[in-house]
Amino acid sequence: MKFATKAVHAGEEPDLDSGSGDVVIPIHLSATFARKDVDKPTRGYEYSRTGNPTRHALEVRLAALEDSKYALAFASGLAAETTLALTVLRKGDHVVASDDLYGGTRRLFVHTLSRFGVSISFVDARLTSRVMDGFRKNTKMVWLETPTNPLLTLSDIRALSRVAKRRGAITVVDNTFMSPYFQNPLKLGADVAVHSVTKFISGHSDSVGGALMLSDKKLYEELRFNQNALGAILSPFDSFLALRGSKTLPLRMERHQENAMKIAKFLLSHPKAKNVRYPGLKIHPQFNLAKRQMKGFGGMLSFDVDGGLPEVRRFLGRVKIFALAESLGGVESLVEHPASMTHASVPRGERVKLGITDNLVRLSVGIEDADDLIHDLAVALG
Ligand SMILES: *Cc1c(COP(=O)(O)O)cnc(C)c1O
């Protein structure tokens, strides 16, 4: 089956033999499941943390979308990341990660996992050689986010996965920005794809969730053990919302991309917008890599508002359709100011060195009419 068919049907085939034939899987709220036999659960389910039919349907859907053998759903993207880190890493292990990482991932490693003896180094992962230089004898994991947030730089997943494998480390790719529709890290050699399901996969800004997709059986069994042991599972209702949202993922991603491309071109020609960063633009320094490893360019872009902080604040105060909010990937367009919102916790010196200046704004382009979105930006830029 092709992507759009799997997005609608995988994990939700009507059960006409023993069920009532629901076309949409019910929200199984039961915390526990009765059995006929004391020795084993009758239909595979015993307790809802361990396994739940609605969550299971979502996990089948997510594996189908990423073309992986297995998927596991968690209470949030960070719950998925925590479970992955606590499963793979031991005291004394080291992680190499891209320096332009999602703030919550950075916080998890720097402030929490460090207390358990796990260390992390941040490198410019645009350059494969920098990642190699960051390796130590105890490096067990390479953590990539591509394209990055908010600067939209890329790392070469294929080259980096190969290097990591040769040195006995696993490669993890946070694939939230592209969704499984536009990029499949496992096909490029990565070991695990991480998603904040909250974003494009659910797509309606009404549910928080996370997922891990992978094809290695041994690692899957360890992760499944810890999904139950740590208990950071996705609820049945949120599993239903993610299942429902994911059905329109292909349609939404096409529209996000179409709108983002139009907006990027509009901003390129606007005198008050500088340094427009969108991987679909030929002027993007890594346009060729983007074309090679992604099937599309997504709905995220960033640019600098010309002037100083007062001009930036004026712009942010004047947009009407774009809501000033964190998060991304929903049907509605959002704008945010990384320096004071998502990346406020990154020390200023480090932030500016990375390119996250006070002028930078990030757009999550929604699926509204592109003309209305462009008009909104034009008025706000003034
Ligand atoms: C939002 C986000 C996360 C964290 O996911 P939550 O669902 O908010 O826990 C991780 N990575 C990226 C790229 C994100 O955008």
Side-chain angles (χ1 to χ4, degrees):
M1 279 195 274
K2 298 235 168 73
F3 193 98
T5 314
K6 291 191 285 191
V8 174
H9 293 289
E12 265 187 306
E13 284 115 35
D15 181 357
L16 289 167
D17 298 324
S18 52
S20 45
D22 305 76
V23 169
V24 173
I25 185 134
I27 305 169
H28 288 266
L29 293 172
S30 194
T32 188
F33 301 89
R35 58 175 80 193
K36 284 188 185 143
D37 187 343
V38 70
D39 295 321
K40 61 172 190 340
T42 304
R43 290 194 185 275
Y45 297 104
E46 45 195 308
Y47 182 65
S48 217
R49 165 163 38 73
T50 319
N52 173 281
T54 315
R55 190 176 87 229
H56 178 70
L58 174 65
E59 292 174 336
V60 171
R61 166 85 40 89
L62 293 173
L65 295 185
E66 199 60 277
D67 235 340
S68 62
K69 287 211 180 97
Y70 313 105
L72 293 158
F74 296 89
S76 68
L78 277 171
E81 295 183 18
T82 303
T83 305
L84 175 62
L86 292 178
T87 302
V88 173
L89 302 170
R90 302 282 178 278
K91 187 175 167 189
D93 286 350
H94 173 254
V95 179
V96 185
S98 31
D99 53 12
D100 186 20
L101 213 58
Y102 175 72
T105 306
R106 178 183 276 261
R107 184 177 54 204
L108 170 66
F109 279 99
V110 172
H111 293 283
T112 305
L113 293 172
S114 60
R115 293 201 282 118
F116 299 88
V118 170
S119 58
I120 187 163
S121 332
F122 298 103
V123 298
D124 181 349
R126 281 177 293 187
L127 303 167
T128 302
S129 60
R130 286 283 166 78
V131 179
M132 291 170 74
D133 292 345
F135 262 82
R136 297 187 197 154
K137 273 209 294 291
N138 54 342
T139 302
K140 289 285 151 56
M141 183 184 272
V142 174
W143 191 290
L144 304 173
E145 215 179 291
T146 177
T148 61
N149 174 25
L151 295 169
L152 284 308
T153 67
L154 278 65
S155 328
D156 187 335
I157 298 173
R158 194 184 290 281
L160 286 167
S161 303
R162 204 179 297 140
V163 167
K165 192 155 288 167
R166 214 179 297 138
R167 300 191 180 198
I170 71 160
T171 303
V172 176
V173 177
D174 183 334
N175 200 25
T176 300
F177 264 37
M178 279 303 113
S179 90
Y181 185 66
F182 280 143
Q183 179 169 269
N184 301 110
L186 302 184
K187 285 193 185 143
L188 297 165
D191 298 287
V192 183
V194 176
H195 285 276
S196 170
V197 173
T198 316
K199 315 293 169 53
F200 290 104
I201 293 178
S202 275
H204 295 73
S205 307
D206 55 7
S207 163
V208 172
L212 301 173
M213 283 83 129
L214 72 161
S215 289
D216 183 85
K217 185 157 193 268
K218 183 166 167 288
L219 180 55
Y220 167 71
E221 277 164 3
E222 290 169 12
L223 286 167
R224 191 161 151 60
F225 178 88
N226 277 334
Q227 183 191 40
N228 183 46
L230 295 168
I233 45 143
L234 192 65
S235 77
F237 187 67
D238 287 295
S239 298
F240 159 76
L241 285 173
L243 275 163
R244 181 155 93 156
S246 65
K247 290 175 203 195
T248 54
L249 181 66
L251 297 172
R252 287 185 285 107
M253 291 313 292
E254 290 290 347
R255 181 61 168 252
H256 284 297
Q257 160 164 271
E258 191 186 313
N259 284 355
M261 184 64 95
K262 286 182 184 162
I263 288 173
K265 288 185 173 156
F266 159 75
L267 291 170
L268 271 186
S269 67
H270 198 288
K272 290 195 182 152
K274 306 280 183 219
N275 301 323
V276 182
R277 298 171 181 90
Y278 182 63
L281 292 176
K282 286 201 186 70
I283 57 154
H284 189 285
Q286 295 170 298
F287 179 63
N288 287 328
L289 176 59
K291 273 199 304 190
R292 194 164 73 234
Q293 85 180 4
M294 311 186 325
K295 291 176 237 167
F297 306 109
M300 302 300 300
L301 62 89
S302 61
F303 66 101
D304 295 345
V305 175
D306 196 28
L309 204 48
E311 283 75 18
V312 178
R313 286 183 180 279
R314 181 171 162 273
F315 166 76
L316 295 171
R318 285 176 67 161
V319 282
K320 288 213 163 62
I321 300 175
F322 281 84
L324 178 58
E326 297 192 7
S327 197
L328 57 109
V331 292
E332 61 285 296
S333 291
L334 303 177
V335 61
E336 71 111 358
H337 187 232
S340 34
M341 295 165 71
T342 48
H343 292 66
S345 63
V346 182
R348 190 167 193 283
E350 216 176 305
R351 190 162 32 87
V352 172
K353 210 165 70 200
L354 289 170
I356 308 171
T357 61
D358 289 345
N359 295 67
L360 184 77
V361 294
R362 186 193 76 186
L363 304 182
S364 173
V365 179
I367 63 168
E368 303 95 332
D369 188 284
D371 291 342
D372 288 337
L373 296 177
I374 287 172
H375 179 72
D376 198 39
L377 295 172
V379 171
L381 283 168

